Each structure stands twice: as structure tokens, then as C-alpha cells.
Amino acid sequence: MNNGLGKTLQIITLARYKKEHRGLKHCLIICGINSLKWNWVKEVEKFCKDEKAIVLGTRVNSKGKIVTVTVEETKEQIDSCPKEFFWILNIERIRLTSEDKKSKTGIVHHLNKLIESGELGMIVIDEIHKSKSITSAQSKGIMELDNKASKVGLTGTLLVNNPYDLYCPMSFVGLLNYNKWTFENKFVIKDEWHQVIGYQNMDELHNIL
């Protein structure tokens, strides 16, 4: 979705429609920009009288101030399946290391358990272009999220100079259904030392976009 179209309100409306007509239990908003978490909370409060939002990875301390909690505490929050309809999380928490993937202990795996059980049925990534690097830990986490949940990517700046930057966002929303190796062979030109020297089939990629 592009800028200027009221993306936040569209997603809130879509999620509530899916709750009413498709039985959606919870919607997760992953914020590519950390500060947007609180904007989503305000927008939910503004447009929803009967729905609430919770920012995962935070809690109110004994002095009434909102503080950030550890990764382990965040996992416990997720496992408890908060009663709020909208769950909000910053994208850095989705980072997936090789060890996390091997042991299935990352936050993404805790989210996947709730997707499998049917509790989490919709995932939205706001400013999805922030996850443009194929090799970054947060892109790996995004790609690990279970496809049983419906997925939406929001951005106003998806057009890029490097076609590689399209792989993760477009794969997340299901526009590409092949792996990184196939993507490279289809659109990237490399020399004998495997260095990128150009791109090909850009018309096809443009049409998909």
C-alpha cells in the first residue's frame, strides 16, 4: 500500500472485518520503525471503541512508567496469548539467528505456535521496505513466519535501486514463491567469482511488483 491512503485505518478496518466474518482472533502489527508502535496504539484507540492493542516487549513498572522487557519476557507475553485483539511488536524482536532457527527458540517460533493453534491469523508489517536485506537477521525472521497467517506489507517506498531489496518484502506477501537461489538465477547476473555485475528480466520483476 502507498502513502497518503490511510494505511493504518485500512488495516484496522480489514482486521475487524476478518474478525467479524472470518473468525480472526488476533492481528499482529510488526513495526519497521520502532516509534510507530505507539502511533498504532493511538490509532486503534481512535478508531476502535471495542478493540484494544498491546505493545509486546513492554510493560508498566511499579512507578507507572512503560519500560522495555527482555526477549525472554517477551516470549512469555506471547505464550500467554494476550486478550487484546491487536498485538504490536517492533521488527527488531523478530531477528532470527542461526542458533535460534536451529533450536526453534526465537520469538518468531513462539508466534508460529499461536499461528498453528489458530490464535494468530493475520500479520502486518508496517514499513516493510526496512527489511530489504536478504541476509539480515530480521529478514530471516520475517521469512520464517508461518504462511498459515494472512500477511500484509505496508510501504510507500518499495521502489528500490537494488532488485535484491525486493526479495524479502515480495516473498513475505506471497508475490514470489521461490527461494533466494532461484531469485538470483532468474534476475541477477554474476561473474565467475560470483560477484554481481548486473540484472536481467527486470520487466518481469516490474510486472510482479
Side-chain angles (χ1 to χ4, degrees), residues 2-202:
N2 296 320
N3 281 328
L5 297 178
K7 298 188 295 292
T8 304
L9 177 56
Q10 288 185 53
I11 290 301
I12 291 172
T13 302
L14 175 61
R16 295 182 71 192
Y17 175 88
K18 289 173 71 69
K19 178 182 180 181
E20 181 177 353
H21 298 281
R22 307 287 176 81
L24 178 67
K25 295 182 179 180
H26 298 284
C27 174
L28 172 66
I29 311 293
I30 301 174
C31 296
I33 299 175
N34 190 28
S35 60
L36 289 177
K37 295 185 301 187
W38 306 108
N39 181 66
W40 275 95
V41 172
K42 290 178 181 178
E43 293 295 291
V44 169
E45 291 175 348
K46 178 180 178 180
F47 293 111
C48 297
K49 294 182 179 180
D50 53 346
E51 304 293 356
K52 300 295 182 181
I54 181 174
V55 178
L56 301 173
T58 68
R59 63 176 173 82
V60 179
N61 66 14
S62 58
K63 297 181 180 180
K65 294 184 177 181
I66 298 174
V67 296
T68 300
V69 301
T70 65
V71 170
E72 292 306 314
E73 287 181 89
T74 304
K75 292 177 184 177
E76 291 175 3
Q77 284 182 328
I78 293 169
D79 291 342
S80 72
C81 192
K83 64 181 183 301
E84 290 83 359
F85 179 60
F86 289 101
W87 300 345
I88 302 170
L89 189 66
N90 59 299
I91 203 165
E92 290 81 6
R93 294 283 179 149
I94 302 295
R95 288 174 177 163
L96 186 68
T97 65
S98 297
E99 181 57 36
D100 288 336
K101 185 172 183 178
K102 182 179 179 181
S103 61
K104 295 188 180 298
T105 57
I107 283 179
V108 65
H109 295 109
H110 288 255
L111 292 170
N112 280 343
K113 291 178 183 177
L114 294 180
I115 294 174
E116 286 285 343
S117 68
E119 289 293 336
L120 177 57
M122 180 175 174
I123 301 174
V124 179
I125 300 183
D126 195 5
E127 305 294 352
I128 194 172
H129 60 276
K130 294 293 183 179
S131 293
K132 59 186 180 180
S133 172
I134 294 177
T135 58
S136 72
Q138 65 189 34
S139 290
K140 290 178 180 178
I142 288 170
M143 299 297 285
E144 195 75 10
L145 286 165
D146 198 308
N147 287 327
K148 289 182 180 178
S150 61
K151 298 176 179 179
V152 179
L154 304 180
T155 180
T157 53
L158 190 57
L159 292 176
V160 294
N161 293 323
N162 185 348
Y164 263 124
D165 296 347
L166 295 172
Y167 177 74
C168 182
M170 294 175 74
S171 295
F172 174 78
V173 298
L175 289 176
L176 301 177
N177 59 1
Y178 34 78
N179 59 29
K180 174 178 173 286
W181 183 87
T182 303
F183 179 86
E184 289 181 341
N185 277 273
K186 195 174 187 66
F187 300 113
V188 180
I189 303 172
K190 294 185 177 182
D191 61 20
E192 56 186 307
W193 295 282
H194 302 289
Q195 298 299 310
V196 177
I197 59 174
Y199 300 95
Q200 59 188 353
N201 301 319
M202 287 296 95

